[in-house]
Amino acid sequence: DTAVSQTPKYLVTQMGNDKSIKCEQNLGHDTMYWYKQDSKKFLKIMFSYNNKELIINETVPNRFSPKSPDKAHLNLHINSLELGDSAVYFCASSHGIFGTEAFFGQGTRLTVV
Amino acid sequence: AQKITQTQPGMFVQEKEAVTLDCTYDTSDQSYGLFWYKQPSSGEMIFLIYQGSYDEQNATEGRYSLNFQKARKSANLVISASQLGDSAMYFCAMREPSGAGSYQLTFGKGTKLSVIP
């Protein structure tokens, strides 16, 4: 069984469109994250949710809006996509502050053309 | 300032040899955790090993071990008996508290390991 699953794995879309990436974890974790990996492979946190509440919101354009309907899901909606949004987006989950492991989804490669 | 530094952008190792991937970190917290992840060319992020700041023993997981030197703030990953399938990007990360009972992982820039037959 996949612990952290995100869909779709690949997403190609035109500039200006709105798209969503879904993430679900079945580990019973209470904290979920979105990370962005740029073309140089650098991973940077975008958002963190703990028990459905937003904890971290790094300097991310407000075109990006996370939604957590419950503790097991954290979706990422992106409005008015731009070329610079092309990247790999990873969802991850962990168990609170004492977590000794954090698991990542398989990533979504977003290409904006 | 970088909190996680991986000084080796790329490394080569002969198959069956051991290799050490360097990682130094910067924190003023007493309680923190250090993680290593592997990212093969297929793109997924695979959790390898964890070391807590209060753990007295170095963490080991199969062929992976973490050489934790707290005073030097280093957490190097050692891979023994390298295999061709070990060729990948390797990321060091540090767990930092981010408020409200949560934490985040801050990543280094990664080391690309290539295993030579």
Side-chain angles (χ1 to χ4, degrees), chain B residues 65-99:
Chain B
S65 60
L66 203 151
N67 184 359
F68 182 46
Q69 298 189 39
K70 196 170 181 177
R72 298 178 65 179
K73 294 190 174 178
S74 75
N76 299 338
L77 178 70
V78 180
I79 306 174
S80 62
S82 297
Q83 301 172 356
L84 294 178
D86 294 335
S87 294
M89 282 287 285
Y90 288 82
F91 292 96
C92 179
M94 179 172 63
R95 181 190 72 214
E96 301 180 276
S98 56

Side-chain angles (χ1 to χ4, degrees), chain A residues 9-10 30-31 33 35 37 40-45 48-50 55-56 58 88 90 93-107, chain B residues 31 33-35 37 39-47 49-52 89 91 95-110:
Chain A
K9 189 171 182 184
Y10 300 98
D30 57 4
T31 306
Y33 313 83
Y35 279 82
Q37 186 174 41
K40 295 182 179 179
K41 299 287 189 181
F42 184 60
L43 278 148
K44 185 169 169 53
I45 191 164
S48 168
Y49 268 73
N50 178 257
I55 302 300
I56 296 173
E58 290 292 312
V88 180
F90 284 97
S93 75
S94 65
H95 185 65
I97 198 166
F98 298 111
T100 59
E101 55 193 13
F103 292 104
F104 282 72
Q106 75 271 34
Chain B
S31 177
L34 298 152
F35 299 72
Y37 286 84
Q39 187 176 40
S41 57
S42 51
E44 69 268 34
M45 292 285 288
I46 302 168
F47 168 69
I49 196 167
Y50 167 83
Q51 179 85 42
M89 282 287 285
F91 292 96
R95 181 190 72 214
E96 301 180 276
S98 56
S102 180
Y103 69 89
Q104 65 162 335
L105 292 181
T106 301
F107 284 83
K109 293 186 176 180

Side-chain angles (χ1 to χ4, degrees), chain A residues 40 46 60 77 90 107-108:
Chain A
K40 295 182 179 179
M46 300 173 68
V60 176
H77 189 76
F90 284 97
T108 296

